[in-house]
Amino acid sequence: MQKAKILVLGSNGQIGTVLCKALQDRYGLDQVICTDIREPKVQRGIFHMVNILDVEKVAQLIDDYKINTIYHLAAILSANGEKNPAFTWKINHDGLLTIFNLAVEKKITRVFYPSSIAIYGPSTPKQNTLQHSSFEPSTVYGISKLTGELWADYYYRRYGLDVRSVRYPGVIGWQSVPEGGTTDYAVEIYHAALKDKHYNCFLAEHTKLPMIYMDDVIRATIELMEADSTSLSIRTSYNLAGMSFTPKEIYESIKKYIPDFTINYQPDFRQKIAESWTETIDDREAREDWNWKPNFDLDSMTQDMLAHLK
Ligand code: SER
């Protein structure tokens, strides 16, 4: 395989921040071109300010750096998306098509596009949700991610574009914070536990959701991108499971280490979004096709989060 020369779109987001560093460590600092609409808090390696809708600028970077691999992470998440559906569609959907078309034109060899548990909706079975299930998402974010999955499959079949994708669960890590998602509470709660010893949770206590620790997210992403193309049977997006828990369970996990930590529950509009998603995921295709296996459960994640955030 030729050496990866990587363009990351959305490098300052919750996942981008950590993924860029991992890609730089793995492939070399100069092999990774990070881009975002905002300046990074800490700059490491090569960075350019880019709006993904600015096709010419993205095309120029692909040419200038002889890019052969793209990680397209830029998107507006579920809760923020509901505040401006039309703009969210423009970024999440139109932005994606712009990148897919450029990738075909520029003969990019591999593209990563994250989907999400937000593609599931009220008609999806909540337990051990299968790869092929009923998908009727109720948020604009979910609709855009599901459509993106279908486009990924279409571009693979029609143009041979090697797009790879996973449906990320809610992502939790100490290195960065999410912005505008429904699963953000599971990151906020660790910061609040250490800082205030109290957390006001915007989801109800028994709302179970699929989640995953950042270390597992980064490993899953890189393992999928490095997998042999012939072993991949899914070209929409792979179901991916880490762990599943409720606000009460994560609270209890933290309380083991911070005994005077308190919580109360004040569900807001995000509760309805969370209730439309599933609780547990069956990710057998990822396990079979590219040997996916998560390393972290709720308790090992809590220990690692608290150790780093302290
Ligand atoms: N973490 C995302 C959100 O809550 C789901 O992919 O919007």
Side-chain angles (χ1 to χ4, degrees), residues 6 15 17 37 43 90 95 123 125 139 157 169 187 191 237 249:
I6 299 168
I15 297 168
T17 306
I37 45 167
Q43 188 170 329
K90 200 174 166 69
S123 66
T139 61
R157 286 183 288 106
V187 179
H191 292 270
S237 185
E249 286 163 346

Side-chain angles (χ1 to χ4, degrees), residues 77-79 116-118 141 168-171 180-184 277:
L77 291 182
S78 60
S116 157
I117 52 167
Y141 173 67
Y168 284 141
V171 176
T182 302
T183 57
D184 296 12
W277 295 347

Side-chain angles (χ1 to χ4, degrees), residues 9 51-55 58 72 74-75 87-102 113 144:
L9 301 161
N51 181 329
I52 53 157
L53 300 176
D54 185 349
V55 192
V58 181
H72 176 55
F87 183 63
T88 302
W89 184 255
K90 200 174 166 69
I91 297 295
N92 292 9
H93 176 267
D94 300 352
L96 174 70
L97 272 195
T98 301
I99 300 307
F100 279 176
N101 285 329
L102 257 185
Y113 160 69
S144 68

